[in-house]
Amino acid sequence: MTTRDRRRRVTIADVANHAQVSTTAVSKVIRNAYGVSPAMRDRVKAAIDELGYRPHAAARAMRGRTFTIGVMLPHIRNPFFADILDGLNAQLDDTGYQAIMIQGGATQKAEAPAIDALVDRQVDGILMISPLAPRARLEAVGREIPTVVLGRHERSAVYDAVFDDDEAGAELVVNHLIGLGHRRIAHITHQDNSTARPSDLLHIIRAETYERVMREHDLAAEIAIATTYYTEEGGYDGAQQLLARSRRPTAIFAGADQAAFGALAAVHEAGLAVPGDISIAGYDNTRLAALPNIAITSIDQDGAVMGHTAARLLLERIEGRTSAVRFSVTPSLVPRRSTAAPPPQDG
Amino acid sequence: MTTRDRRRRVTIADVANHAQVSTTAVSKVIRNAYGVSPAMRDRVKAAIDELGYRPHAAARAMRGRTFTIGVMLPHIRNPFFADILDGLNAQLDDTGYQAIMIQGGATQKAEAPAIDALVDRQVDGILMISPLAPRARLEAVGREIPTVVLGRHERSAVYDAVFDDDEAGAELVVNHLIGLGHRRIAHITHQDNSTARPSDLLHIIRAETYERVMREHDLAAEIAIATTYYTEEGGYDGAQQLLARSRRPTAIFAGADQAAFGALAAVHEAGLAVPGDISIAGYDNTRLAALPNIAITSIDQDGAVMGHTAARLLLERIEGRTSAVRFSVTPSLVPRRSTAAPPPQDG
DNA sequence: ATGAAAGCGCTAACAA
DNA sequence: TTGTTAGCGCTTTCAT
């Protein structure tokens, strides 16, 4: 049983008093601003240390910077985002900037307030990872705050874009499977309620590329898409749908590793072997995909590089850059044991 | 090529002007405060909608609430934290509170500024998940801001605690393995640089319980602990260390599923079968542990319940509760295919 | 080089 | 019920 401590926090005024200088001087010192003598600096720094002063971010937000980068990500369960965050945080280290994250969730309805929350908290820069928001909203945010959008393909004049060449990646997977001799190749894609232009969304690009490549190999009749989610449950459900078809696929290309994990479970549960009966491929090359008893063929798109590039672009914008930059990583195929030639009778 | 839009945001004053009322009236309406006539309310709400006004969180922070819950978590890669966050967000839904997350990292040195960042941003409540900070720091934060600590066992008068009965959980695992006939049971634990009292940290409790139960079954001579990390890499390294021992264990109890995944990989790579040669058990019962081709025996501690309880406690404290609450979940064993009797010659 | 003072957008006494 | 006003802690002109 206690009462909340109502002792005021140490403020810039306390420091100024203690050091017998003006608050202006203290402010300049903590911002490394121009026009403070070394003596003044030392004196103030000593007072700061003695009093354990830390600037009050909310107060700063009203005049200057918050030294905060806001990251909107759909959900923390996808391990690919952890790769991105690792890259981002590594780049932010020792810059004085802190990254805060907020979950956008699976719908535009849930995402909108999450983005608002970041804007309302006056972050100095925003990274949106695979946002569902309409393009106009991204532009509006980008006009107000330095912004990087990761995972969407549209061009913008007001924010930077970091993305993977999803078309190339999907092509690698489908060609790989076709090269192994598969014809009945199915795809699991992600359902969204976005109002973004479809061709700007990565899961749409992956799905459309799958269809295109299939057609180019005269496999239009074999096209089979399950539209669920890029999650374990989604992959599980999607695979079950696909397995229930009269012409069962011999290979499943899941648009994300997360979905591939679920698909793997469904295939196992159906009493089928991977890759003996069915080959499975994913996308993102998450660390889990590399585990020996998962060993899923996947597409690597180097999340760490994407994350650290995003951070760099954000810092550049905060420093004043206004021209838009687009950064794209080239994906590569990482073949593993989950893909092999189809069973003889199905070849 | 654009210039940043310097159009001021809509403020409470703009709304007041537009509605021809005072800023106080607007403030009261947005806070649902006492003493506004229905007519006034309607008028203000209309103005808010017309202007697209949203309160400026930073400004609010200086006087009132930020409607923000800060969550410090070690790293987003651990999927168990996703369960906790799901529970938390579900409870926060429609309360007007937004959760923001910040990564604390693996060391106290990295964690300290993360916690500071939350405090400095004036969040209304803080949830710290498995923090490494010394107890005094937690108390200091708790005195300043409503706080819930998840995953540590110490009693505090100023903050609430949500935790799992780690002793019971570890006991379940070790007894399960002993019951299957194992004697050479090894453990993988987490290395930390915390200055917290060891018995307050969950990984220490799990490790000590492992030792105690081994001793109680006259297996003191078989105790083997690899101290790495509760991560995939950690589990991988730990298992390699354990496998290199002259008396190879027949079972490995990894203190967390994440580590168990890595251990699984190491065992496979060593050409050994699970559970044929070696049984593996984890902790947390993450969804991935349930995948058929991982199928790791684990301990369930219901992260969603922990998360939603944490949110509830936080909201209660924000509403004024000052007495400390402790909430503990009872863990249960989820046996899966990764654990079985040891090979005959090793029984 | 240093400091006084205005004001960022909001809340909460207090007055009317 | 409604409005006036004094700050919250900080940054930033602008004097000195």
Side-chain angles (χ1 to χ4, degrees):
Chain A
M1 188 86 64
T2 57
T3 50
R4 178 106 8 247
D5 190 349
R6 283 273 160 251
R7 231 169 19 214
R8 249 187 346 90
R9 272 188 68 157
V10 179
T11 73
I12 201 171
D14 298 328
V15 176
N17 265 330
H18 192 84
Q20 298 282 45
V21 298
S22 71
T23 57
T24 309
V26 179
S27 176
K28 282 186 172 173
V29 170
I30 60 181
R31 285 178 295 124
N32 280 315
Y34 202 74
V36 254
S37 64
M40 168 75 88
R41 172 177 311 283
D42 292 347
R43 200 160 157 186
V44 170
K45 289 214 161 171
I48 287 176
D49 287 345
E50 271 175 62
L51 268 43
Y53 167 77
R54 290 198 318 263
H56 194 306
R60 278 185 132 171
M62 302 204 60
R63 295 315 248 94
R65 297 184 180 175
T66 52
F67 293 96
T68 308
I69 299 295
V71 179
M72 191 288 292
L73 73 178
H75 200 285
I76 69 166
R77 198 181 298 278
N78 188 333
F80 179 59
F81 299 150
D83 293 346
I84 296 173
L85 256 291
D86 282 349
L88 179 98
N89 282 319
Q91 182 78 11
L92 251 34
D93 223 31
D94 300 320
T95 61
Y97 282 85
Q98 271 281 358
I100 64 170
M101 301 170 279
I102 194 156
Q103 283 201 156
T107 62
Q108 270 197 65
K109 192 159 167 296
E111 189 191 87
I115 294 176
D116 288 349
L118 255 19
V119 174
D120 297 345
R121 275 159 192 74
Q122 297 286 104
V123 296
D124 296 331
I126 293 193
L127 170 60
M128 301 200 228
I129 301 180
S130 296
L132 298 169
R135 188 202 161 104
R137 179 75 187 119
L138 304 183
E139 297 264 332
V141 172
R143 262 190 294 273
E144 204 174 332
I145 300 177
T147 299
V148 171
V149 172
L150 194 152
R152 270 170 64 163
H153 289 237
E154 61 256 67
R155 303 199 111 73
S156 168
V158 297
Y159 59 79
D160 300 332
V162 171
F163 54 93
D164 155 68
D165 185 343
D166 293 292
E167 189 163 353
E171 203 161 336
L172 283 172
V173 175
V174 183
N175 279 332
H176 166 71
L177 293 169
I178 291 175
L180 288 168
H182 291 274
R183 296 176 55 80
R184 296 212 297 281
I185 301 167
H187 180 59
I188 297 176
T189 189
H190 181 76
Q191 162 98 64
D192 73 84
N193 69 341
S194 174
T195 50
R197 199 175 56 181
S199 62
D200 293 330
L201 299 173
L202 60 86
H203 54 278
I204 304 287
I205 297 175
R206 293 176 193 172
E208 286 182 348
T209 302
Y210 153 78
E211 292 194 64
R212 176 176 60 73
V213 177
M214 290 292 277
R215 268 192 234 98
E216 285 171 5
H217 286 81
D218 291 323
L219 296 172
E222 308 291 1
I223 288 173
I225 298 185
T227 301
T228 56
Y229 297 96
Y230 277 2
T231 62
E232 274 160 55
E233 298 76 19
Y236 182 87
D237 295 344
Q240 283 199 327
Q241 287 173 28
L242 295 169
L243 294 177
R245 292 183 154 238
S246 52
R247 284 171 60 76
R248 203 176 69 200
T250 63
I252 295 176
F253 163 30
D257 281 359
Q258 281 289 93
F261 301 151
L264 203 57
V267 171
H268 273 259
E269 258 182 33
L272 298 167
V274 173
D277 298 306
I278 297 194
S279 286
I280 292 183
Y283 205 111
D284 292 342
N285 193 29
T286 53
R287 297 187 193 180
L288 292 166
L291 288 182
N293 43 339
I294 299 242
I296 288 180
T297 295
S298 193
I299 293 291
D300 189 278
Q301 54 170 318
D302 208 330
V305 163
M306 294 174 102
H308 111 212
T309 303
R312 186 171 53 72
L313 295 178
L314 241 16
L315 294 176
E316 285 174 14
R317 271 200 182 268
I318 291 172
E319 294 309 324
R321 173 166 59 74
T322 54
S323 57
V325 168
R326 291 167 68 76
F327 177 90
S328 127
V329 305
T330 303
S332 60
L333 181 79
V334 182
R336 295 204 179 88
R337 291 199 311 279
S338 72
T339 51
Q345 70 277 19
D346 287 313
Chain B
M1 186 87 66
T2 57
T3 49
R4 178 105 9 248
D5 190 348
R6 283 274 160 253
R7 232 172 15 215
R8 248 186 348 88
R9 271 188 70 155
V10 178
T11 73
I12 201 171
D14 298 329
V15 177
N17 265 329
H18 192 84
Q20 299 281 49
V21 298
S22 71
T23 58
T24 308
V26 180
S27 175
K28 282 187 171 173
V29 170
I30 61 182
R31 286 179 291 125
N32 281 315
Y34 203 74
V36 254
S37 64
M40 169 73 89
R41 171 177 313 282
D42 291 347
R43 200 160 159 185
V44 171
K45 288 213 163 172
I48 287 176
D49 287 345
E50 270 176 62
L51 268 43
Y53 166 77
R54 291 200 316 265
H56 195 305
R60 281 186 129 172
M62 303 206 59
R63 296 314 250 101
R65 297 183 180 176
T66 52
F67 293 97
T68 308
I69 300 294
V71 179
M72 190 289 292
L73 73 178
H75 200 286
I76 68 166
R77 197 180 299 277
N78 187 334
F80 179 58
F81 299 150
D83 293 344
I84 296 173
L85 256 291
D86 282 350
L88 180 98
N89 283 319
Q91 181 78 12
L92 251 34
D93 224 30
D94 301 319
T95 60
Y97 282 84
Q98 270 282 358
I100 64 170
M101 301 171 278
I102 193 157
Q103 282 201 156
T107 62
Q108 269 198 62
K109 192 158 167 297
E111 188 190 87
I115 294 176
D116 289 348
L118 255 18
V119 175
D120 297 346
R121 275 162 191 73
Q122 297 286 103
V123 296
D124 296 331
I126 293 193
L127 170 61
M128 301 200 228
I129 301 179
S130 295
L132 297 169
R135 188 202 160 103
R137 179 75 187 118
L138 304 184
E139 296 265 332
V141 171
R143 261 189 295 274
E144 206 174 331
I145 300 176
T147 300
V148 170
V149 172
L150 193 152
R152 269 169 67 162
H153 288 238
E154 60 257 65
R155 301 199 111 72
S156 168
V158 299
Y159 58 79
D160 300 331
V162 171
F163 54 93
D164 155 68
D165 186 344
D166 293 292
E167 190 164 351
E171 203 161 334
L172 283 172
V173 176
V174 183
N175 279 333
H176 167 71
L177 293 170
I178 290 175
L180 288 169
H182 290 276
R183 296 177 54 80
R184 295 211 299 280
I185 301 166
H187 181 59
I188 297 176
T189 189
H190 182 74
Q191 163 99 65
D192 74 84
N193 69 341
S194 174
T195 51
R197 198 174 58 179
S199 62
D200 294 329
L201 299 172
L202 61 86
H203 54 278
I204 304 286
I205 297 175
R206 292 176 193 172
E208 286 183 347
T209 302
Y210 154 78
E211 292 195 64
R212 174 175 62 70
V213 177
M214 288 294 276
R215 267 191 235 97
E216 286 171 5
H217 286 80
D218 292 323
L219 296 172
E222 308 291 1
I223 289 173
I225 298 184
T227 303
T228 57
Y229 297 96
Y230 277 3
T231 61
E232 273 160 56
E233 298 76 19
Y236 183 87
D237 295 344
Q240 283 200 326
Q241 288 173 28
L242 295 169
L243 295 177
R245 291 180 156 242
S246 52
R247 282 171 62 76
R248 203 177 70 201
T250 62
I252 295 177
F253 164 29
D257 282 358
Q258 282 289 93
F261 300 151
L264 203 57
V267 170
H268 273 259
E269 258 182 35
L272 298 167
V274 174
D277 298 307
I278 297 194
S279 286
I280 292 184
Y283 205 110
D284 292 342
N285 194 29
T286 53
R287 298 188 193 180
L288 292 166
L291 289 182
N293 44 337
I294 301 243
I296 287 181
T297 295
S298 193
I299 293 290
D300 190 278
Q301 54 170 321
D302 208 330
V305 164
M306 293 174 102
H308 110 213
T309 302
R312 186 170 52 73
L313 295 178
L314 242 16
L315 294 176
E316 286 174 13
R317 271 199 182 269
I318 291 172
E319 294 310 325
R321 174 166 58 72
T322 54
S323 57
V325 168
R326 291 165 69 73
F327 177 90
S328 127
V329 306
T330 302
S332 60
L333 182 79
V334 182
R336 295 202 180 88
R337 290 199 312 280
S338 73
T339 51
Q345 69 277 19
D346 286 312

